[in-house]
Amino acid sequence: MRSELDEKVKSGMEVGGYRIDRKLGQGGFGGVYLAWRDGRPSALKFIHLESVGDWGWRELFVMLPQQSAHVVKLRGHLRWPEEQPEYLVLVMEYVPGMTLYGWAREHNPCAREVVEKLLPLVRSLRGLHAQGVFHRDLKGDNVLVRETDGAPVLVDFGAGSSPLVPRVTKGVLPPASLYYRSPESLAFSRLEGRVPGARYRYAETDEVYALGVLLYVLLTDVYPFTGPDAALVEGILAGAPTPPHERNFRVPKTLSHLCMRMLAREPGERVPGMEALCEELAVLLQEAREAPGWERPLCFDWMEEERTTEDFLPEGGEIDPEAWLAKWKDKKPRRGRRPMAVPARSHRERRVLPALVALGALGLGVVAVMYPWAREGELEAPPAWEVAWTDQDGMAVAGPGAPPALSPNQKRAPCTAGLELEINGGCWLSIVHTTPACPPQTVAYEGRCLVRVAKPQPVPMSVDAGGPSSPP
């Protein structure tokens, strides 16, 4: 669905002397576009002045003094259109590359590589905190891995704070994703949320906690706490996540213990700040260079035969959730480049090709008679083992050795542990039937009858902080 901004900012047009190339993404406070000027690329962030108000100017002043190689640089700003300005446009350096989480999924790093990515990021945060600046929205999607040198770069200071800019947050808590909120911030919101004028005092320990969640995801590919918002809040407040090395036995215990200390329920038991975290990560990096166990990829790749979260649900009988989770905790999702699946073929091919294969058994003469008819539909019979079966919607079900294809509205991983299966990056339910007698609208794969899990409806990802809504 195109936004009002997409209708106004189009490829090829000029904005303040910058030629728009394409849209890079959409954030909570504005859209970001790749643009060129004098042969140099820049990232232009359009922030709607009327709906966002002072938040855009806050982001400008928070970014203005930053000079770290691992923090996105601000090059300038302008108001657009010039005649009747509707948007504040931040001109930033363009950082080609994928997000930190995307890098982990694509690259399947070892524990040493995770620490090497985290350490320069922590050093940059140490410099920001020395200036009294907090990012307040730390997560893997707000860290880019630069394509040219693999360096992590912190981006999106839309929720940032600085002692040099006035406070504009209207709610108890600053805007942030619920997954990364500290237990003490949620406890404050619960106790003081209805008190007029109550404001949570964000601290460095909150930033340490958010970074701990980020590290946990890099090590295990799941959040420390999951579920609907209410259950997620209760889990964070209880503060007892499964240690990373128990969820994923490839995680070194020393790194797992550090992650757990970053996620400690009580701020006083947490790593006190970025300075101490830098020192501990530097020690672990030295350990990593001397211990071969740190070089093993953290997750199975897609070509390994060992079982992961794609485990079998028992057919019939009741599931013991505790026993199921105890078995699952040592399983890991897959990362790395996916193998190429056999493409789906049309319904016409599905009808013609099996006929050709069957008639081939009767003799080449019959096939020769049928050949012109096959060519008339521009079909060319492949070897029988390359034919991909399709379901009633024309989606690929499974070729020999190929996983079933995903539908556009299907839920993607991570899947619900103990209930859904993750296959080919999507979520499936296994029903109590055995192949080949699978019911209609199901997929037969590896001796199971599978049903696609539909994408869930969008749910709020952050506690209402009274901040501005997304620009139109």
Side-chain angles (χ1 to χ4, degrees), residues 163-196:
L164 302 178
V165 297
R167 183 187 181 101
V168 296
T169 303
K170 297 179 181 179
V172 176
L173 302 177
S177 171
L178 180 54
Y179 286 104
Y180 300 83
R181 290 199 183 276
S182 66
E184 61 269 26
S185 68
L186 294 179
F188 182 90
S189 178
R190 175 171 290 184
L191 293 174
E192 307 291 338
R194 297 184 182 276
V195 178

PDB file of all heavy atoms in Angstrom, residues 163-196:
ATOM      1  N   PRO A 163      20.883  15.776  26.144  1.00  0.00           N
ATOM      2  CA  PRO A 163      20.663  16.892  27.074  1.00  0.00           C
ATOM      3  C   PRO A 163      20.575  18.240  26.373  1.00  0.00           C
ATOM      4  O   PRO A 163      20.149  19.229  26.976  1.00  0.00           O
ATOM      5  CB  PRO A 163      21.876  16.814  27.998  1.00  0.00           C
ATOM      6  CG  PRO A 163      22.921  16.093  27.217  1.00  0.00           C
ATOM      7  CD  PRO A 163      22.190  15.113  26.364  1.00  0.00           C
ATOM      8  N   LEU A 164      20.955  18.292  25.085  1.00  0.00           N
ATOM      9  CA  LEU A 164      20.944  19.551  24.340  1.00  0.00           C
ATOM     10  C   LEU A 164      19.597  19.843  23.694  1.00  0.00           C
ATOM     11  O   LEU A 164      19.399  20.932  23.139  1.00  0.00           O
ATOM     12  CB  LEU A 164      22.031  19.524  23.263  1.00  0.00           C
ATOM     13  CG  LEU A 164      23.466  19.294  23.759  1.00  0.00           C
ATOM     14  CD1 LEU A 164      24.430  19.250  22.577  1.00  0.00           C
ATOM     15  CD2 LEU A 164      23.874  20.376  24.749  1.00  0.00           C
ATOM     16  N   VAL A 165      18.676  18.879  23.724  1.00  0.00           N
ATOM     17  CA  VAL A 165      17.378  19.087  23.070  1.00  0.00           C
ATOM     18  C   VAL A 165      16.271  18.919  24.093  1.00  0.00           C
ATOM     19  O   VAL A 165      16.402  18.154  25.052  1.00  0.00           O
ATOM     20  CB  VAL A 165      17.181  18.096  21.905  1.00  0.00           C
ATOM     21  CG1 VAL A 165      18.225  18.331  20.832  1.00  0.00           C
ATOM     22  CG2 VAL A 165      17.245  16.651  22.391  1.00  0.00           C
ATOM     23  N   PRO A 166      15.165  19.629  23.931  1.00  0.00           N
ATOM     24  CA  PRO A 166      14.059  19.534  24.899  1.00  0.00           C
ATOM     25  C   PRO A 166      13.340  18.203  24.799  1.00  0.00           C
ATOM     26  O   PRO A 166      13.344  17.541  23.756  1.00  0.00           O
ATOM     27  CB  PRO A 166      13.139  20.688  24.491  1.00  0.00           C
ATOM     28  CG  PRO A 166      13.426  20.896  23.043  1.00  0.00           C
ATOM     29  CD  PRO A 166      14.882  20.599  22.862  1.00  0.00           C
ATOM     30  N   ARG A 167      12.700  17.808  25.883  1.00  0.00           N
ATOM     31  CA  ARG A 167      11.931  16.581  25.927  1.00  0.00           C
ATOM     32  C   ARG A 167      10.589  16.806  25.252  1.00  0.00           C
ATOM     33  O   ARG A 167       9.913  17.807  25.506  1.00  0.00           O
ATOM     34  CB  ARG A 167      11.719  16.144  27.382  1.00  0.00           C
ATOM     35  CG  ARG A 167      10.972  14.820  27.533  1.00  0.00           C
ATOM     36  CD  ARG A 167      10.668  14.550  28.995  1.00  0.00           C
ATOM     37  NE  ARG A 167       9.985  13.284  29.158  1.00  0.00           N
ATOM     38  CZ  ARG A 167      10.568  12.165  29.547  1.00  0.00           C
ATOM     39  NH1 ARG A 167      11.858  12.162  29.849  1.00  0.00           N
ATOM     40  NH2 ARG A 167       9.875  11.045  29.670  1.00  0.00           N
ATOM     41  N   VAL A 168      10.197  15.847  24.376  1.00  0.00           N
ATOM     42  CA  VAL A 168       8.903  15.965  23.716  1.00  0.00           C
ATOM     43  C   VAL A 168       8.037  14.725  23.948  1.00  0.00           C
ATOM     44  O   VAL A 168       6.892  14.692  23.518  1.00  0.00           O
ATOM     45  CB  VAL A 168       9.072  16.190  22.187  1.00  0.00           C
ATOM     46  CG1 VAL A 168       9.772  17.498  21.926  1.00  0.00           C
ATOM     47  CG2 VAL A 168       9.799  15.036  21.541  1.00  0.00           C
ATOM     48  N   THR A 169       8.589  13.694  24.614  1.00  0.00           N
ATOM     49  CA  THR A 169       7.803  12.492  24.893  1.00  0.00           C
ATOM     50  C   THR A 169       6.623  12.842  25.787  1.00  0.00           C
ATOM     51  O   THR A 169       6.797  13.420  26.857  1.00  0.00           O
ATOM     52  CB  THR A 169       8.673  11.422  25.577  1.00  0.00           C
ATOM     53  OG1 THR A 169       9.799  11.137  24.744  1.00  0.00           O
ATOM     54  CG2 THR A 169       7.888  10.152  25.806  1.00  0.00           C
ATOM     55  N   LYS A 170       5.421  12.457  25.372  1.00  0.00           N
ATOM     56  CA  LYS A 170       4.231  12.758  26.143  1.00  0.00           C
ATOM     57  C   LYS A 170       3.831  11.618  27.067  1.00  0.00           C
ATOM     58  O   LYS A 170       3.133  11.820  28.045  1.00  0.00           O
ATOM     59  CB  LYS A 170       3.072  13.077  25.189  1.00  0.00           C
ATOM     60  CG  LYS A 170       3.323  14.303  24.334  1.00  0.00           C
ATOM     61  CD  LYS A 170       2.152  14.555  23.394  1.00  0.00           C
ATOM     62  CE  LYS A 170       2.413  15.777  22.515  1.00  0.00           C
ATOM     63  NZ  LYS A 170       1.300  16.023  21.565  1.00  0.00           N
ATOM     64  N   GLY A 171       4.239  10.401  26.754  1.00  0.00           N
ATOM     65  CA  GLY A 171       3.877   9.255  27.566  1.00  0.00           C
ATOM     66  C   GLY A 171       4.864   9.001  28.678  1.00  0.00           C
ATOM     67  O   GLY A 171       5.858   9.709  28.861  1.00  0.00           O
ATOM     68  N   VAL A 172       4.598   7.935  29.428  1.00  0.00           N
ATOM     69  CA  VAL A 172       5.471   7.549  30.542  1.00  0.00           C
ATOM     70  C   VAL A 172       6.813   7.048  30.024  1.00  0.00           C
ATOM     71  O   VAL A 172       7.864   7.342  30.601  1.00  0.00           O
ATOM     72  CB  VAL A 172       4.780   6.469  31.398  1.00  0.00           C
ATOM     73  CG1 VAL A 172       5.708   5.977  32.504  1.00  0.00           C
ATOM     74  CG2 VAL A 172       3.489   7.005  31.997  1.00  0.00           C
ATOM     75  N   LEU A 173       6.787   6.285  28.925  1.00  0.00           N
ATOM     76  CA  LEU A 173       7.998   5.682  28.372  1.00  0.00           C
ATOM     77  C   LEU A 173       8.302   6.270  27.002  1.00  0.00           C
ATOM     78  O   LEU A 173       7.388   6.653  26.272  1.00  0.00           O
ATOM     79  CB  LEU A 173       7.828   4.168  28.247  1.00  0.00           C
ATOM     80  CG  LEU A 173       7.497   3.388  29.518  1.00  0.00           C
ATOM     81  CD1 LEU A 173       7.283   1.911  29.190  1.00  0.00           C
ATOM     82  CD2 LEU A 173       8.604   3.544  30.546  1.00  0.00           C
ATOM     83  N   PRO A 174       9.575   6.309  26.622  1.00  0.00           N
ATOM     84  CA  PRO A 174       9.919   6.737  25.266  1.00  0.00           C
ATOM     85  C   PRO A 174       9.532   5.664  24.263  1.00  0.00           C
ATOM     86  O   PRO A 174       9.384   4.484  24.627  1.00  0.00           O
ATOM     87  CB  PRO A 174      11.449   6.919  25.326  1.00  0.00           C
ATOM     88  CG  PRO A 174      11.885   5.998  26.418  1.00  0.00           C
ATOM     89  CD  PRO A 174      10.782   6.011  27.430  1.00  0.00           C
ATOM     90  N   PRO A 175       9.348   6.018  22.986  1.00  0.00           N
ATOM     91  CA  PRO A 175       8.983   5.013  21.975  1.00  0.00           C
ATOM     92  C   PRO A 175      10.078   3.956  21.851  1.00  0.00           C
ATOM     93  O   PRO A 175      11.273   4.267  21.848  1.00  0.00           O
ATOM     94  CB  PRO A 175       8.866   5.827  20.685  1.00  0.00           C
ATOM     95  CG  PRO A 175       8.704   7.236  21.127  1.00  0.00           C
ATOM     96  CD  PRO A 175       9.442   7.370  22.417  1.00  0.00           C
ATOM     97  N   ALA A 176       9.674   2.690  21.761  1.00  0.00           N
ATOM     98  CA  ALA A 176      10.615   1.581  21.578  1.00  0.00           C
ATOM     99  C   ALA A 176       9.829   0.311  21.336  1.00  0.00           C
ATOM    100  O   ALA A 176       8.627   0.240  21.608  1.00  0.00           O
ATOM    101  CB  ALA A 176      11.524   1.422  22.796  1.00  0.00           C
ATOM    102  N   SER A 177      10.503  -0.704  20.825  1.00  0.00           N
ATOM    103  CA  SER A 177       9.888  -2.006  20.643  1.00  0.00           C
ATOM    104  C   SER A 177       9.772  -2.702  21.997  1.00  0.00           C
ATOM    105  O   SER A 177      10.696  -2.672  22.816  1.00  0.00           O
ATOM    106  CB  SER A 177      10.732  -2.859  19.688  1.00  0.00           C
ATOM    107  OG  SER A 177      10.262  -4.184  19.650  1.00  0.00           O
ATOM    108  N   LEU A 178       8.647  -3.344  22.220  1.00  0.00           N
ATOM    109  CA  LEU A 178       8.394  -3.982  23.512  1.00  0.00           C
ATOM    110  C   LEU A 178       9.407  -5.066  23.827  1.00  0.00           C
ATOM    111  O   LEU A 178       9.777  -5.265  24.991  1.00  0.00           O
ATOM    112  CB  LEU A 178       6.969  -4.556  23.517  1.00  0.00           C
ATOM    113  CG  LEU A 178       6.500  -5.262  24.792  1.00  0.00           C
ATOM    114  CD1 LEU A 178       6.659  -4.366  26.007  1.00  0.00           C
ATOM    115  CD2 LEU A 178       5.046  -5.703  24.632  1.00  0.00           C
ATOM    116  N   TYR A 179       9.873  -5.781  22.823  1.00  0.00           N
ATOM    117  CA  TYR A 179      10.832  -6.860  23.048  1.00  0.00           C
ATOM    118  C   TYR A 179      12.103  -6.381  23.755  1.00  0.00           C
ATOM    119  O   TYR A 179      12.763  -7.157  24.439  1.00  0.00           O
ATOM    120  CB  TYR A 179      11.241  -7.491  21.712  1.00  0.00           C
ATOM    121  CG  TYR A 179      10.189  -8.369  21.088  1.00  0.00           C
ATOM    122  CD1 TYR A 179       9.435  -7.919  20.002  1.00  0.00           C
ATOM    123  CD2 TYR A 179       9.941  -9.653  21.566  1.00  0.00           C
ATOM    124  CE1 TYR A 179       8.468  -8.720  19.424  1.00  0.00           C
ATOM    125  CE2 TYR A 179       8.982 -10.467  20.984  1.00  0.00           C
ATOM    126  CZ  TYR A 179       8.243  -9.993  19.912  1.00  0.00           C
ATOM    127  OH  TYR A 179       7.290 -10.792  19.345  1.00  0.00           O
ATOM    128  N   TYR A 180      12.454  -5.114  23.571  1.00  0.00           N
ATOM    129  CA  TYR A 180      13.737  -4.594  24.062  1.00  0.00           C
ATOM    130  C   TYR A 180      13.593  -3.737  25.316  1.00  0.00           C
ATOM    131  O   TYR A 180      14.588  -3.183  25.788  1.00  0.00           O
ATOM    132  CB  TYR A 180      14.405  -3.774  22.954  1.00  0.00           C
ATOM    133  CG  TYR A 180      14.691  -4.578  21.702  1.00  0.00           C
ATOM    134  CD1 TYR A 180      13.697  -4.792  20.740  1.00  0.00           C
ATOM    135  CD2 TYR A 180      15.937  -5.154  21.483  1.00  0.00           C
ATOM    136  CE1 TYR A 180      13.939  -5.541  19.607  1.00  0.00           C
ATOM    137  CE2 TYR A 180      16.189  -5.899  20.345  1.00  0.00           C
ATOM    138  CZ  TYR A 180      15.186  -6.096  19.412  1.00  0.00           C
ATOM    139  OH  TYR A 180      15.438  -6.847  18.293  1.00  0.00           O
ATOM    140  N   ARG A 181      12.403  -3.621  25.860  1.00  0.00           N
ATOM    141  CA  ARG A 181      12.217  -2.796  27.051  1.00  0.00           C
ATOM    142  C   ARG A 181      12.731  -3.527  28.287  1.00  0.00           C
ATOM    143  O   ARG A 181      12.524  -4.734  28.446  1.00  0.00           O
ATOM    144  CB  ARG A 181      10.748  -2.432  27.227  1.00  0.00           C
ATOM    145  CG  ARG A 181      10.238  -1.453  26.185  1.00  0.00           C
ATOM    146  CD  ARG A 181       8.973  -0.780  26.674  1.00  0.00           C
ATOM    147  NE  ARG A 181       8.398   0.114  25.673  1.00  0.00           N
ATOM    148  CZ  ARG A 181       8.774   1.365  25.490  1.00  0.00           C
ATOM    149  NH1 ARG A 181       9.745   1.868  26.230  1.00  0.00           N
ATOM    150  NH2 ARG A 181       8.186   2.115  24.574  1.00  0.00           N
ATOM    151  N   SER A 182      13.370  -2.785  29.188  1.00  0.00           N
ATOM    152  CA  SER A 182      13.922  -3.367  30.411  1.00  0.00           C
ATOM    153  C   SER A 182      12.819  -3.661  31.413  1.00  0.00           C
ATOM    154  O   SER A 182      11.751  -3.037  31.384  1.00  0.00           O
ATOM    155  CB  SER A 182      14.937  -2.414  31.026  1.00  0.00           C
ATOM    156  OG  SER A 182      14.284  -1.233  31.478  1.00  0.00           O
ATOM    157  N   PRO A 183      13.052  -4.617  32.343  1.00  0.00           N
ATOM    158  CA  PRO A 183      12.045  -4.908  33.371  1.00  0.00           C
ATOM    159  C   PRO A 183      11.701  -3.691  34.222  1.00  0.00           C
ATOM    160  O   PRO A 183      10.534  -3.469  34.561  1.00  0.00           O
ATOM    161  CB  PRO A 183      12.721  -6.010  34.211  1.00  0.00           C
ATOM    162  CG  PRO A 183      13.715  -6.634  33.305  1.00  0.00           C
ATOM    163  CD  PRO A 183      14.195  -5.530  32.417  1.00  0.00           C
ATOM    164  N   GLU A 184      12.707  -2.870  34.562  1.00  0.00           N
ATOM    165  CA  GLU A 184      12.431  -1.720  35.432  1.00  0.00           C
ATOM    166  C   GLU A 184      11.577  -0.660  34.729  1.00  0.00           C
ATOM    167  O   GLU A 184      10.765   0.022  35.360  1.00  0.00           O
ATOM    168  CB  GLU A 184      13.734  -1.100  35.952  1.00  0.00           C
ATOM    169  CG  GLU A 184      14.678  -0.559  34.883  1.00  0.00           C
ATOM    170  CD  GLU A 184      15.694  -1.574  34.393  1.00  0.00           C
ATOM    171  OE1 GLU A 184      15.392  -2.776  34.482  1.00  0.00           O
ATOM    172  OE2 GLU A 184      16.755  -1.175  33.897  1.00  0.00           O
ATOM    173  N   SER A 185      11.722  -0.534  33.396  1.00  0.00           N
ATOM    174  CA  SER A 185      10.889   0.441  32.682  1.00  0.00           C
ATOM    175  C   SER A 185       9.431  -0.012  32.649  1.00  0.00           C
ATOM    176  O   SER A 185       8.512   0.791  32.822  1.00  0.00           O
ATOM    177  CB  SER A 185      11.422   0.657  31.266  1.00  0.00           C
ATOM    178  OG  SER A 185      11.255  -0.491  30.462  1.00  0.00           O
ATOM    179  N   LEU A 186       9.212  -1.310  32.433  1.00  0.00           N
ATOM    180  CA  LEU A 186       7.844  -1.822  32.416  1.00  0.00           C
ATOM    181  C   LEU A 186       7.225  -1.785  33.807  1.00  0.00           C
ATOM    182  O   LEU A 186       6.014  -1.524  33.949  1.00  0.00           O
ATOM    183  CB  LEU A 186       7.827  -3.248  31.864  1.00  0.00           C
ATOM    184  CG  LEU A 186       8.232  -3.394  30.397  1.00  0.00           C
ATOM    185  CD1 LEU A 186       8.200  -4.857  29.979  1.00  0.00           C
ATOM    186  CD2 LEU A 186       7.319  -2.576  29.493  1.00  0.00           C
ATOM    187  N   ALA A 187       8.031  -2.043  34.835  1.00  0.00           N
ATOM    188  CA  ALA A 187       7.518  -1.963  36.210  1.00  0.00           C
ATOM    189  C   ALA A 187       7.110  -0.530  36.540  1.00  0.00           C
ATOM    190  O   ALA A 187       6.076  -0.286  37.164  1.00  0.00           O
ATOM    191  CB  ALA A 187       8.575  -2.465  37.191  1.00  0.00           C
ATOM    192  N   PHE A 188       7.909   0.436  36.109  1.00  0.00           N
ATOM    193  CA  PHE A 188       7.577   1.843  36.332  1.00  0.00           C
ATOM    194  C   PHE A 188       6.282   2.201  35.611  1.00  0.00           C
ATOM    195  O   PHE A 188       5.417   2.895  36.167  1.00  0.00           O
ATOM    196  CB  PHE A 188       8.718   2.735  35.848  1.00  0.00           C
ATOM    197  CG  PHE A 188       8.492   4.200  36.072  1.00  0.00           C
ATOM    198  CD1 PHE A 188       8.910   4.811  37.238  1.00  0.00           C
ATOM    199  CD2 PHE A 188       7.847   4.976  35.105  1.00  0.00           C
ATOM    200  CE1 PHE A 188       8.701   6.175  37.449  1.00  0.00           C
ATOM    201  CE2 PHE A 188       7.632   6.327  35.305  1.00  0.00           C
ATOM    202  CZ  PHE A 188       8.054   6.924  36.483  1.00  0.00           C
ATOM    203  N   SER A 189       6.149   1.739  34.366  1.00  0.00           N
ATOM    204  CA  SER A 189       4.948   2.035  33.598  1.00  0.00           C
ATOM    205  C   SER A 189       3.710   1.453  34.270  1.00  0.00           C
ATOM    206  O   SER A 189       2.647   2.083  34.291  1.00  0.00           O
ATOM    207  CB  SER A 189       5.087   1.479  32.178  1.00  0.00           C
ATOM    208  OG  SER A 189       3.929   1.702  31.420  1.00  0.00           O
ATOM    209  N   ARG A 190       3.847   0.256  34.831  1.00  0.00           N
ATOM    210  CA  ARG A 190       2.713  -0.383  35.492  1.00  0.00           C
ATOM    211  C   ARG A 190       2.308   0.358  36.765  1.00  0.00           C
ATOM    212  O   ARG A 190       1.121   0.501  37.062  1.00  0.00           O
ATOM    213  CB  ARG A 190       3.055  -1.841  35.792  1.00  0.00           C
ATOM    214  CG  ARG A 190       2.000  -2.585  36.578  1.00  0.00           C
ATOM    215  CD  ARG A 190       2.294  -4.071  36.647  1.00  0.00           C
ATOM    216  NE  ARG A 190       2.107  -4.710  35.353  1.00  0.00           N
ATOM    217  CZ  ARG A 190       2.227  -6.023  35.155  1.00  0.00           C
ATOM    218  NH1 ARG A 190       2.547  -6.825  36.169  1.00  0.00           N
ATOM    219  NH2 ARG A 190       2.025  -6.549  33.963  1.00  0.00           N
ATOM    220  N   LEU A 191       3.298   0.840  37.504  1.00  0.00           N
ATOM    221  CA  LEU A 191       3.012   1.499  38.778  1.00  0.00           C
ATOM    222  C   LEU A 191       2.639   2.968  38.617  1.00  0.00           C
ATOM    223  O   LEU A 191       1.776   3.494  39.332  1.00  0.00           O
ATOM    224  CB  LEU A 191       4.226   1.381  39.705  1.00  0.00           C
ATOM    225  CG  LEU A 191       4.569  -0.031  40.203  1.00  0.00           C
ATOM    226  CD1 LEU A 191       5.876  -0.011  40.979  1.00  0.00           C
ATOM    227  CD2 LEU A 191       3.443  -0.586  41.059  1.00  0.00           C
ATOM    228  N   GLU A 192       3.303   3.651  37.678  1.00  0.00           N
ATOM    229  CA  GLU A 192       3.147   5.102  37.568  1.00  0.00           C
ATOM    230  C   GLU A 192       2.453   5.533  36.278  1.00  0.00           C
ATOM    231  O   GLU A 192       2.368   6.726  35.999  1.00  0.00           O
ATOM    232  CB  GLU A 192       4.530   5.771  37.619  1.00  0.00           C
ATOM    233  CG  GLU A 192       5.382   5.380  38.812  1.00  0.00           C
ATOM    234  CD  GLU A 192       4.837   5.934  40.114  1.00  0.00           C
ATOM    235  OE1 GLU A 192       4.078   6.920  40.062  1.00  0.00           O
ATOM    236  OE2 GLU A 192       5.161   5.370  41.175  1.00  0.00           O
ATOM    237  N   GLY A 193       1.980   4.574  35.495  1.00  0.00           N
ATOM    238  CA  GLY A 193       1.442   4.905  34.181  1.00  0.00           C
ATOM    239  C   GLY A 193       0.267   5.866  34.194  1.00  0.00           C
ATOM    240  O   GLY A 193       0.059   6.612  33.240  1.00  0.00           O
ATOM    241  N   ARG A 194      -0.512   5.853  35.259  1.00  0.00           N
ATOM    242  CA  ARG A 194      -1.692   6.723  35.321  1.00  0.00           C
ATOM    243  C   ARG A 194      -1.451   7.991  36.141  1.00  0.00           C
ATOM    244  O   ARG A 194      -2.379   8.776  36.345  1.00  0.00           O
ATOM    245  CB  ARG A 194      -2.864   5.938  35.899  1.00  0.00           C
ATOM    246  CG  ARG A 194      -3.282   4.760  35.035  1.00  0.00           C
ATOM    247  CD  ARG A 194      -4.502   4.059  35.587  1.00  0.00           C
ATOM    248  NE  ARG A 194      -4.875   2.916  34.787  1.00  0.00           N
ATOM    249  CZ  ARG A 194      -5.629   2.979  33.685  1.00  0.00           C
ATOM    250  NH1 ARG A 194      -6.081   4.147  33.266  1.00  0.00           N
ATOM    251  NH2 ARG A 194      -5.928   1.886  33.017  1.00  0.00           N
ATOM    252  N   VAL A 195      -0.237   8.171  36.615  1.00  0.00           N
ATOM    253  CA  VAL A 195       0.077   9.369  37.400  1.00  0.00           C
ATOM    254  C   VAL A 195       0.362  10.525  36.444  1.00  0.00           C
ATOM    255  O   VAL A 195       1.260  10.420  35.593  1.00  0.00           O
ATOM    256  CB  VAL A 195       1.292   9.127  38.310  1.00  0.00           C
ATOM    257  CG1 VAL A 195       1.641  10.401  39.072  1.00  0.00           C
ATOM    258  CG2 VAL A 195       1.002   7.979  39.275  1.00  0.00           C
ATOM    259  N   PRO A 196      -0.353  11.622  36.534  1.00  0.00           N
ATOM    260  CA  PRO A 196      -0.121  12.754  35.626  1.00  0.00           C
ATOM    261  C   PRO A 196       1.320  13.261  35.720  1.00  0.00           C
ATOM    262  O   PRO A 196       1.838  13.471  36.824  1.00  0.00           O
ATOM    263  CB  PRO A 196      -1.112  13.815  36.109  1.00  0.00           C
ATOM    264  CG  PRO A 196      -2.178  13.039  36.822  1.00  0.00           C
ATOM    265  CD  PRO A 196      -1.487  11.874  37.463  1.00  0.00           C
TER     266      PRO A 196
END
